[in-house]
Amino acid sequence: MCGIVGYVGKENAVPYLLDGLSRLEYRGYDSAGIAVLTDKGIETEKCTGRVAALRDKAEKHNFSCNLGIGHTRWATHGEVSERNAHPHVSYKGDFAVVHNGIIENYATLRDKLKDEGYAFLSDTDSEVVAHLLERDYNGDLISSLMNTVKKLEGAFALGIICKNLSDTLILIRKESPLVVGKGKDGFYAASDMGALCGVAEESITMNDGEIAVITKEKATFYLSDGNEVFRRFEKSNLCASSAEKGDFPHFMLKEIFEQPSATEHTYRFLSSSGTSSTEELSFLPSLLQTTDRIYIVGCGSAYHTAVAGKYVFEKLTKLPTEAVIASEFCTSSIPVRKNSLCIFVSQSGETADTLSALKKAKEKGATILSVVNVPESSIARKSHKVIYTKAGPEIAVATTKAYSAQLITLYTLAAFSGYYLGVINDGDFRYYMRELSCLPKKIKNILERENEIAEFGKLLSSESSIRFIGRNTDYAAAMEGALKMKEISYIPCEAYPAGELKHGTISLVEKGSITVALCCNDSIFKKTANNIEEIRSRGGDIILITTEKHTEDVTVINRKIIIPDTDDLFVTLLEAIPLQLLAYYTAKEKGCDIDKPRNLAKSVTVE
Ligand code: M6R
C-alpha cells in the first residue's frame, strides 16, 4: 500500500528518496513520485509503474537539493495516473505533500476550497491537504499545521515540504505509521522501518497525533495540542540483508525456505526450554482466569491462521473459540464482552481492518492480545499484550514465513493455555510441546522435495480453475492454499470443506477438472478419502497431500505429495509448505510477477 519517504540533511536528497521508495516497493503500489526543494522552488517528478522508471526520469533532472519527500501510491481515489500520483503541490506552489491513509471528509473540503477558487489537478483525497496547508499558513508553523490537521477526518500520515522553509521536513501522524531515522548526514522519514535500512543508525516511531519538524540539525516533536514533547532516538536494529534476495530468484522463495528458522525461533522464543514455565507467556495464567470465550481475528492469511487456531484452542482449552474476519468483526454484532479474549493476528501490524476490529473489541472491554511480526506497529502498540512472531522482515506480498510463525505461535499459546487451565495434563502438555518442537525439522524435510513439488506446480499452470478441499485442520490449510495460488498465479481457486462438495459444488466436477485434496488429519482421513473418490469417479483429477502414515492407503492416486506425520492439530502448518511451493511454481511457470502481484499490497492500510 502507499509508502512515504523523506530526507533533510547535508547530502543530495534524491538518491535516498529513490532508494527508500525501492525498499518500500514490496508494500505494493501502482505509481510513484518525488518532490524536492531546489533554488527554483518545489519541483516534482512522477510516473506510473515501477520506481525504476521514476529513477530514470528523476536522474535526468540532476536535481540539487537537500530536502525532499517521495511516495509510492496504491490507488484508492482516482485512477492510476501521473496526475493522481503523489506528491501533490498546493495552488501557488508553496507546499508539497505526500499522504498515506484516507481523508474521509475530502469531498466536503474540496467543495469548499473550490468555492474559494482553488483549482484541483487530481482526483485524490490527498490534494485537499496541500491546498489547506497553503490556505491555513499564518507564519507560525505549528499553529498553522494544527489548523489544517483539525479539519481532516480519517487516518493519515503526511510528509510535507514548504517553499519558504528551505531546510524543514514536516511529518504528521494520525493512525497511519511514520518513522523518523537519524543517520550520519541527516534525518530520514519513512512509513516503515524497511526504508531506513542501511541509512539510519537510530530511529523514533512517531506516536498518534504527533507532528515532527525536522531540520538538518535537529528533530523536534509536538503533541496534537501544539506542546513540544521530548522524544529520544533509539538504536535501530535494521538489517539490510533481509531486504536482499541472496541466491533466490524471488523473495517469496527465499522466505519459504526461511520457514524452518522462522518457526524454530518463534517456538523457542515462546517456550523457553519447553517446560511449563515461560517468561514470554507469564501473563497467561491470570488472563485465563477471567476468560470465558476466545475470538481470533485477522484478514487474509492471518484469518486462515485464526481458522486453524480455532480447532486447536477449542480442543486444548475447551473454551468456545471463534475465528473472525476482521472486516466482518467490525460490521456484525459479535457478543464480545469483558471476559472475552480477542487475539488479533497480523504480520504487518498495520492492517486497517484488523485495527478497526481491535478498537471495537477494546471499546467493549475485551482483553486484547496481538500476534504481530513488526515491532512497534500500530496493532502492537494498541494491544494489552503482544506476542511477536520471530519471522523477521517479510518482503514478498504473499505471506509465507510470517504465516507459519503465526501458526506456531497460536499452537504454542493454545498448549500453554490448555495446561494452565488444567484441561491437558502434564504428560499431554509435554507431548504437544515435543510435537511442536519437531515441526521446524519436518518443514525442512518437505523443502528438500522442492523439485518434485515444482513439477506439480508446472502442471497446474495450464488450469483455468483449481479446487482445494479438506476437513477441519485440513480445511484451514485448503483455504490458505487457494489464497496463495490465487494471489500470485491469478488462477481462480476456491477452498471447500470436503464434506460440503456434495451439497452443491460437486456439480463443477467434470473430466479433467483439478482438485488439490488435503488429507492429513488422521481422525477424518477416511471421510475425506471418500470425498476424493466421489471426485475421481466423476472423472476429476486429484493432487493429494497426505502424511507418511497413509502412504499405503493412497496407492491408487498417482499425483501425491507425502509429508511427515504430526499431531492432527498441527497438520495445517506442514501442509502449508507444499501448498506455497505449488503456488510459487505455478506462478513462475506462468511468468507472473511473484513478489509483487497485481493490485495487491503488503500492508493494507485502508478499510
Ligand atoms: O499484515 P497482515 O497479516 O494483517 O495482512 C493480512 C492480509 O492482508 C495478508 O495476510 C494477505 O492476505 C496476504 N497477501 C496473503 O498472502
Side-chain angles (χ1 to χ4, degrees):
M1 210 132 266
C2 302
I4 286 178
V5 292
Y7 175 80
V8 57
K10 296 187 198 122
E11 298 296 321
N12 189 341
V14 176
Y16 166 69
L17 296 179
L18 294 169
D19 290 349
L21 290 179
S22 298
R23 287 193 207 100
L24 292 181
E25 281 192 294
Y26 78 96
R27 292 164 66 101
Y29 70 105
D30 39 51
S31 55
I34 57 170
V36 290
L37 190 61
T38 70
D39 48 12
K40 294 187 197 142
I42 290 175
E43 296 191 72
T44 62
E45 188 56 87
K46 307 179 186 188
C47 74
T48 56
R50 296 292 178 220
V51 172
L54 177 69
R55 191 180 287 274
D56 288 345
K57 282 177 107 179
E59 282 174 357
K60 289 193 187 116
H61 291 284
N62 238 335
F63 289 127
S64 161
C65 55
N66 305 109
L67 171 66
I69 49 180
H71 192 260
T72 45
R73 173 176 187 253
W74 187 84
T76 57
H77 295 68
E79 58 176 13
V80 177
S81 64
E82 273 185 30
R83 194 169 63 82
N84 287 332
H86 299 216
H88 293 288
V89 178
S90 62
Y91 190 50
K92 291 191 229 145
D94 289 352
F95 286 86
V97 65
V98 286
H99 164 224
N100 281 4
I102 289 183
I103 308 295
E104 282 164 5
N105 58 336
Y106 83 100
T108 321
L109 294 169
R110 190 182 52 195
D111 290 348
K112 262 197 201 153
L113 285 162
K114 274 187 176 167
D115 288 346
E116 291 174 29
Y118 285 86
F120 279 75
L121 303 178
S122 78
D123 307 319
T124 65
D125 53 332
S126 316
E127 193 182 352
V128 293
V129 183
H131 298 314
L132 280 176
L133 286 166
E134 188 171 274
R135 193 188 70 169
D136 291 341
Y137 190 65
N138 61 16
D140 177 64
L141 182 62
I142 297 300
S143 79
S144 311
L145 293 172
M146 283 167 60
N147 264 337
T148 298
V149 168
K150 73 177 181 238
K151 295 188 183 93
L152 306 176
E153 289 168 17
F156 47 85
L158 301 168
I160 301 162
I161 57 173
C162 171
K163 190 170 100 184
N164 300 319
L165 299 168
S166 61
D167 76 341
T168 307
L169 171 66
I170 301 157
L171 304 169
I172 302 177
R173 171 184 177 156
K174 189 185 160 212
E175 291 180 22
S176 193
L178 270 180
V179 193
V180 182
K182 192 169 156 190
K184 283 197 184 70
D185 53 60
F187 290 93
Y188 303 84
S191 41
D192 82 45
M193 286 278 192
L196 304 182
C197 261
V199 289
E201 290 152 356
E202 298 179 316
S203 65
I204 288 177
T205 301
M206 287 180 69
N207 289 324
D208 257 1
E210 272 180 356
I211 298 174
V213 177
I214 308 171
T215 64
K216 280 182 195 129
E217 282 78 35
K218 61 173 184 164
T220 314
F221 293 82
Y222 300 87
L223 297 172
S224 53
D225 60 7
N227 284 321
E228 198 175 319
V229 58
F230 175 72
R231 298 292 315 270
R232 191 191 301 281
F233 279 92
E234 306 276 353
K235 275 255 162 288
S236 318
N237 198 10
L238 298 171
C239 156
S241 74
S242 57
E244 307 290 338
K245 282 194 282 240
D247 291 336
F248 288 92
H250 295 98
F251 280 108
M252 183 178 175
L253 193 62
K254 174 177 176 244
E255 289 160 2
I256 288 175
F257 273 84
E258 284 170 351
Q259 290 179 108
S261 60
T263 48
E264 172 133 30
H265 290 153
T266 305
Y267 173 72
R268 286 200 186 291
F269 170 68
L270 290 175
S271 65
S272 315
S273 51
T275 64
S276 57
S277 72
T278 158
E279 212 184 305
E280 279 310 313
L281 303 179
S282 55
F283 61 87
L284 260 187
S286 69
L287 170 59
L288 290 166
Q289 270 177 18
T290 54
T291 301
D292 63 9
R293 178 175 285 271
I294 300 174
Y295 295 97
I296 315 178
V297 187
C299 305
S301 298
Y303 166 68
H304 297 157
T305 67
V307 175
K310 167 198 158 75
Y311 296 116
V312 187
F313 270 92
E314 275 180 349
K315 171 139 189 217
L316 299 189
T317 69
K318 298 267 183 283
L319 286 169
T321 305
E322 258 191 72
V324 194
I325 293 174
S327 53
E328 292 295 309
F329 189 96
C330 296
T331 53
S332 45
S333 315
I334 295 170
V336 176
R337 289 185 295 259
K338 226 171 75 227
N339 289 353
S340 308
L341 168 62
C342 293
I343 305 175
F344 290 88
V345 185
S346 174
Q347 185 284 129
S348 63
E350 301 295 346
T351 302
D353 288 324
T354 313
L355 257 176
S356 277
L358 185 156
K359 276 191 214 150
K360 185 170 171 184
K362 216 174 186 181
E363 276 160 24
K364 294 193 167 186
T367 301
I368 312 296
L369 167 63
S370 58
V371 175
V372 169
N373 195 42
V374 179
E376 283 293 305
S377 52
S378 303
I379 289 175
R381 286 145 61 98
K382 288 188 160 60
S383 302
H384 298 122
K385 294 282 173 212
V386 188
I387 298 175
Y388 286 112
T389 47
K390 296 287 168 191
E394 192 178 61
I395 307 295
V397 165
T399 182
T400 52
K401 63 174 179 169
Y403 165 85
S404 46
Q406 287 164 355
L407 273 183
I408 204 158
T409 300
L410 292 176
Y411 295 164
T412 312
L413 193 59
F416 273 100
S417 300
Y419 180 69
Y420 291 148
L421 286 166
V423 177
I424 55 172
N425 64 26
D426 208 45
D428 287 342
F429 175 72
R430 272 190 277 118
Y431 157 76
Y432 286 120
M433 295 309 273
R434 218 176 24 250
E435 284 295 306
L436 288 172
S437 71
C438 292
L439 290 174
K441 211 163 154 216
K442 292 179 182 175
I443 294 175
K444 209 162 165 206
N445 172 302
I446 301 171
L447 289 170
E448 279 160 14
R449 298 190 351 247
E450 178 192 8
N451 293 342
E452 175 197 326
I453 302 168
E455 290 307 313
F456 288 122
K458 287 182 196 156
L459 204 103
L460 288 175
S461 64
S462 55
E463 295 297 328
S464 56
S465 69
I466 306 170
R467 260 179 307 279
F468 290 75
I469 60 161
R471 289 167 182 252
N472 197 273
T473 45
D474 288 333
Y475 173 56
M479 293 169 90
E480 177 61 5
L483 178 65
K484 211 88 301 171
M485 183 64 84
K486 274 187 272 200
E487 62 181 339
I488 62 167
S489 76
Y490 313 145
I491 297 175
C493 297
E494 212 61 71
Y496 300 104
E500 273 290 288
L501 274 182
K502 58 188 174 294
H503 298 291
T505 316
I506 202 159
S507 67
L508 296 175
V509 174
E510 56 186 348
K511 195 167 176 1
S513 68
I514 187 96
T515 302
V516 176
L518 284 310
C519 200
C520 296
N521 187 321
D522 192 36
S523 68
I524 42 168
F525 177 84
K526 283 209 173 92
K527 280 185 186 293
T528 309
N530 286 341
N531 301 134
I532 292 171
E533 283 316 305
E534 284 156 16
I535 294 173
R536 279 168 30 90
S537 58
R538 285 161 180 83
D541 287 338
I542 298 284
I543 292 182
L544 175 72
I545 300 182
T546 191
T547 52
E548 280 160 2
K549 84 166 77 123
H550 291 294
T551 315
E552 295 302 311
D553 305 322
V554 294
T555 45
V556 290
I557 295 179
N558 301 330
R559 294 176 186 152
K560 51 188 172 253
I561 301 167
I562 309 282
I563 63 171
D565 297 312
T566 183
D567 189 90
D568 283 349
L569 290 179
F570 308 144
V571 292
T572 319
L573 175 49
L574 294 186
E575 288 171 313
I577 315 303
L579 290 169
Q580 294 163 352
L581 286 170
L582 271 185
Y584 175 82
Y585 280 102
T586 305
K588 191 166 182 218
E589 186 69 11
K590 290 189 72 184
C592 300
D593 189 352
I594 292 180
D595 284 336
K596 296 184 223 95
R598 68 183 179 210
N599 304 337
L600 291 180
K602 182 71 182 161
S603 178
V604 184
T605 50
V606 292
E607 275 183 62

